[in-house]
Amino acid sequence: MEATVPDERPSPEGPATFREVFANREYGAVFSASALSWIGDYIAKAAVTLLVYEETRSVALSAAAFAVSYLPWLVGGPLLATLAERHRYRQVMVICDLVRMVLMVCIAIPGMPVPMILALLFATTLANPPSQAAKSALIPLILTGDRLVVGLSMISSVGQAAQVVGYLAGAAIAAFNPTTALLVNAATFGLSAALVRFGVADRPTAMTAAHRSHLLRETAQGFQIVFGTPVLRAIAVLVFAAMLFSVVPEGLAAAWASEHAGQLDAGAAQAIIMAANPVGFILGGLIVSRAFGPDRRLSLMRPLAVLSPLALVPALLDPPPLVVALLAAACGFAVAGMLPVANGLFVRALPDGFRARAFGVMATGVQVIQGLAVLVTGLLAERYSIPLVVGVWSAVGVLLMTLAALRWPSRSAIDAAVEAAQQAGGVAPRQADGATGPATPASAQGRSEEERSGGPLGGRPGEAGQRRHTVTRPTVGTPRSPDAAPGRMER
């Protein structure tokens, strides 16, 4: 299948539309595959947790079954994501889906010992970093201009919706038969692999064998370019700070509901608080990406970044659970409003051949930041009241976000970084002080000038991005759910 780069410049009158985004067949395949596998994965999380608990009656082991999916990002996320740079993105995604499908079928075998279940589950999640890295690097090659921002917003929103639907469906199916839930997840991986294999073009690798070095060195180059490039570093700080505060209500929901449920049942209060942030995130991503044009979304980034922790400060007043849920939803709305724009800028400021590695760095950072935020606030809540902890924690977040907003790069600095990345191709762009980033590891050498100058967004207006042309050239995220972008990438 031949790869083409269509004319997808953003309209000067307003933002790209959902119809324009989904008119791209490749994006539709990636979007559908992501939604399927995410829903299946959350169904499996609920099922495995219940299955382990039924086998052992151990809360600790059931919690370990849930938490094991986060381990690959923490112990080797950037390293595993670097592998995606060495191979064709479509190939990486398909192989990872098929491996996870087979392993899920093995977990579903009746009578499987619990230690073996945990080991197979860990092996399954080892495929998450390279698969997600390949997808995040692939999407900017499918969508360009403002359609990229809208597409990233849709991916983030469906990830949150999948979390809600998957957990509810998983709990219902697992209560009936956990094995069935695991087989459903295996089937979603198989369908995801088919959608990607037959719906996405087979592009060349971002890094050819001739330009490989040591895997650890290539991984280190991902850290160097993210934290050594001022614009990328500023985006990373903004994303990490957003994750540091937005996850807290969800992480403390069980204890918060138990101690401050008021007239509500504790279980209902917990569910409302936990679901509020994903719902707000979905609404924020859809509304902001559709209602505002590219320039206005860029100007809203900093106010929304400050608003995300500010929305949680009223927790100091110890409001009832419904109000807490509204605060959490407002926080999620603000994060979703600024995150796709940050993701889009991040992708544009990355040279070819570094996207998968940079995604690994960002996704791992998001996982670590979220885990630390819940751990620290949980420890503080052992000594102080939860409303006090969340309120003060969020007030500190307002100060941090304000500082990050004040130090945000100028528009000219952002434009210069994007242009440098487009011209660099697979080489890390030269910094303002004259130093360069990582040495050339990617496939920029030996490619045509048109391929190197087009960049991930097809060039600036007036250049290559304005015409349809055939090329042979090769996310960034969440919350969590880290996925498909620097933020929210937990799958």
Side-chain angles (χ1 to χ4, degrees):
M1 184 174 179
E2 190 176 45
T4 60
V5 178
D7 174 11
E8 293 182 356
R9 283 185 302 129
S11 167
E13 289 80 20
T17 65
F18 297 141
R19 177 177 296 180
E20 290 172 339
V21 171
F22 283 104
N24 186 301
R25 190 170 72 90
E26 287 188 280
Y27 176 79
V30 173
F31 178 89
S32 301
S34 299
L36 273 172
S37 57
W38 270 330
I39 291 174
D41 209 25
Y42 288 121
I43 288 175
K45 280 186 178 181
V48 169
T49 302
L50 180 59
L51 182 64
V52 171
Y53 181 75
E54 288 182 344
E55 291 289 332
T56 65
R57 294 297 169 180
S58 169
V59 175
L61 285 176
S62 65
F66 182 89
V68 73
S69 62
Y70 295 92
L71 286 180
W73 286 111
L74 302 181
V75 301
L79 195 69
L80 293 169
T82 300
L83 292 173
E85 214 88 80
R86 294 183 165 197
H87 304 280
R88 295 173 182 264
Y89 295 142
R90 188 184 75 175
Q91 180 186 44
V92 171
M93 294 171 67
V94 170
I95 290 176
C96 287
D97 276 345
L98 293 177
V99 168
R100 290 183 288 191
M101 179 186 71
V102 172
L103 291 175
M104 273 295 159
V105 171
C106 293
I107 295 174
I109 296 175
M112 182 70 65
V114 170
M116 184 60 69
I117 290 177
L118 295 178
L120 289 173
L121 189 62
F122 179 75
T124 302
T125 58
L126 285 175
N128 290 356
S131 176
Q132 289 291 345
K135 181 175 70 175
S136 292
L138 175 65
I139 291 176
L141 305 178
I142 294 174
L143 296 177
T144 61
D146 192 49
R147 296 184 187 183
L148 173 62
V149 176
V150 176
L152 290 173
S153 177
M154 292 299 299
I155 290 283
S156 298
S157 296
V158 78
Q160 298 308 299
Q163 183 177 2
V164 176
V165 172
Y167 281 152
L168 291 177
I173 298 174
F176 171 73
N177 189 336
T179 299
T180 301
L182 295 173
L183 292 176
V184 167
N185 188 33
T188 63
F189 281 129
L191 290 173
S192 174
L195 285 168
V196 173
R197 172 60 182 82
F198 298 107
V200 175
D202 191 20
R203 293 168 173 82
T205 58
M207 181 192 301
T208 64
H211 301 121
R212 293 179 186 174
S213 58
H214 192 279
L215 188 62
L216 290 175
R217 182 178 302 168
E218 294 166 11
T219 304
Q221 289 168 351
F223 283 92
Q224 290 170 15
I225 196 166
V226 170
F227 296 107
T229 307
V231 169
L232 295 179
R233 183 171 62 245
I235 296 171
V237 169
L238 207 65
V239 171
F240 290 159
M243 298 301 104
L244 187 62
F245 301 99
S246 63
V247 73
V248 170
E250 191 173 343
L252 301 182
W256 205 338
S258 177
E259 297 178 12
H260 303 270
Q263 297 180 348
L264 288 177
D265 175 74
Q270 177 184 350
I272 291 171
I273 294 173
M274 292 192 72
N277 189 274
V279 170
F281 193 93
I282 293 169
L283 293 176
L286 296 179
I287 292 174
V288 174
S289 65
R290 188 65 192 95
F292 300 102
D295 288 340
R296 178 56 60 88
R297 286 200 300 265
L298 185 60
S299 65
L300 287 174
M301 260 190 69
R302 287 182 288 178
L304 288 173
V306 176
L307 178 61
S308 58
L310 182 62
L312 298 174
V313 172
L316 279 168
L317 303 177
D318 192 10
L322 287 177
V323 176
V324 173
L326 289 175
L327 299 179
C331 176
F333 187 100
V335 172
M338 68 92 175
L339 198 60
V341 183
N343 289 345
L345 286 178
F346 191 87
V347 167
R348 294 173 63 197
L350 276 172
D352 272 355
F354 287 90
R355 292 195 190 118
R357 280 174 282 178
F359 171 84
V361 172
M362 293 297 295
T364 301
V366 166
Q367 297 298 316
V368 172
I369 287 291
Q370 289 184 322
L372 285 176
V374 174
L375 177 62
V376 172
T377 53
L379 291 174
L380 290 173
E382 289 286 333
R383 183 169 183 179
Y384 306 101
S385 71
I386 293 178
L388 178 64
V389 170
V390 175
V392 173
W393 184 265
S394 302
V396 173
V398 173
L399 296 177
L400 178 61
M401 280 298 203
T402 301
L403 180 62
L406 292 175
R407 295 181 61 86
W408 185 251
S410 65
R411 183 62 179 268
S412 60
I414 293 174
D415 290 341
V418 171
E419 184 174 359
Q422 291 175 349
Q423 293 176 351
V427 187
R430 183 174 296 275
Q431 307 302 323
D433 59 2
T436 58
T440 309
S443 55
Q445 299 179 16
R447 297 191 303 171
S448 68
E449 181 61 30
E450 180 185 21
E451 292 175 79
R452 292 195 300 270
S453 63
L457 295 178
R460 292 179 300 162
E463 297 180 349
Q466 298 188 25
R467 60 189 183 275
R468 178 176 292 274
H469 58 285
T470 301
V471 298
T472 57
R473 59 184 171 91
T475 97
V476 191
T478 158
R480 250 157 277 194
S481 259
D483 213 324
R488 295 191 175 263
M489 303 176 231
E490 72 177 29
R491 174 168 163 76

